[in-house]
Every structure is written in structure tokens, then in C-alpha cells.
């Protein structure tokens, strides 16, 4: 039964010794929840998040960028800790956006708040 479980239930992935479906809702905000994700910053952020997801072998299902926060719906394998996932997205995008958009450096001491929300999305059999 267990060896064919993934074949019977599409939407599950396989890893050595495991069948899984790990999907997360990730939300993070700019420092002080400042409305800085506007216009070209928003478009560049979307590109950077998609690029980082590919690099991490994470599926980015949906992405919604608001002026003062970001929502991502991502899927990863069991080897990727959720805290590392959030840190990778925040660190990568902060470094590049602050290099490319100088006003972000003058408005904020760091781009992202250190806090974030991440919740597991359940899938029922």
C-alpha cells in the first residue's frame, strides 16, 4: 500500500523514503510596515522571488505583493526548514532591492521586518 500511495494520489511528491505534500502560506512585511512595494519595486520583487524559488527548488504557486506586505503560497520538500525558507526569500530580495532602488536604503534601516508569518496548508486524503 505505502509504495503505491503517491501513484494513487496526485499532488504528492516523492523523496527518498518519503511521500509528501508540504505547502505553506508565507507573509512578510517591510520594516515598520511602510508602504514601499510600489510600481517598479513590486515588479522587480516578483521576478526576484520567482528566481529564488527556482534556486531553492521550491514551487511558487501564488504571489501577491501589496504596498506594505507580501503573500506567497509555496511548496517545498521536507529538507527545507520553514525558517530557512523565509530567511532565504527575505535576505535575497532585501540585498538586491536595496542595491537597485536607493530610496529603500534611505527610508528604512533594513527592508524587511524580522518577523514573518508562515502557516502550513493542510491537504486531506
Amino acid at each position: 500500500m505505502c509504495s503505491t500511495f503517491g501513484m494513487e494520489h496526485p499532488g504528492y511528491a516523492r523523496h527518498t523514503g518519503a511521500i509528501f505534500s508540504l505547502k505553506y502560506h508565507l507573509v512578510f512585511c517591510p520594516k515598520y510596515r511602510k508602504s514601499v512595494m510600489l510600481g517598479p519595486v513590486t515588479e522587480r520583487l516578483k521576478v526576484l522571488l520567482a528566481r529564488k524559488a527556482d534556486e531553492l527548488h521550491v514551487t511558487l504557486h501564488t504571489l501577491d505583493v501589496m504596498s506594505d506586505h507580501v503573500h506567497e503560497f509555496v511548496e517545498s520538500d521536507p529538507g527545507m526548514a520553514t525558517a530557512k525558507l523565509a530567511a532565504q526569500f527575505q535576505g535575497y530580495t532585501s540585498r538586491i532591492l536595496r542595491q537597485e532602488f536607493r530610496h529603500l536604503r534611505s527610508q528604512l534601516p533594513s527592508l524587511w521586518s524580522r518577523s514573518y508569518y508562515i502557516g502550513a496548508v493542510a491537504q486531506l486524503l
Side-chain angles (χ1 to χ4, degrees), residues 24-39 41-50 52-53 60-74 85-86 88-94 97 104 108 111-113 115-119:
Y24 305 105
H25 178 207
L26 173 62
V27 182
F28 49 95
C29 304
K31 192 83 164 174
Y32 312 124
R33 197 140 185 191
K34 230 173 172 183
S35 295
V36 294
M37 297 298 136
L38 303 167
V41 176
T42 298
E43 296 311 310
R44 184 65 173 138
L45 176 61
K46 289 177 181 179
V47 170
L48 293 173
L49 288 170
K52 191 61 176 179
L60 180 59
H61 288 285
T62 59
L63 172 63
D64 194 12
V65 179
M66 308 297 207
S67 65
D68 65 347
H69 66 283
V70 177
H71 288 269
E72 290 182 275
F73 181 53
V74 297
L85 190 64
Q88 289 288 315
F89 282 124
Q90 287 181 311
Y92 176 73
T93 57
S94 176
L97 288 175
L104 294 176
L108 300 166
L111 180 58
W112 302 115
S113 167
S115 60
Y116 59 88
Y117 165 81
I118 193 160

Side-chain angles (χ1 to χ4, degrees), residues 73-89:
F73 181 53
V74 297
E75 182 174 2
S76 70
D77 69 45
M80 178 62 72
T82 56
K84 182 178 179 181
L85 190 64
Q88 289 288 315
F89 282 124

Side-chain angles (χ1 to χ4, degrees), residues 98-116:
R98 287 169 58 86
Q99 286 173 353
E100 294 179 3
F101 299 95
R102 293 196 180 276
H103 70 278
L104 294 176
R105 285 193 278 184
S106 63
Q107 289 182 357
L108 300 166
S110 61
L111 180 58
W112 302 115
S113 167
R114 290 175 53 184
S115 60
Y116 59 88

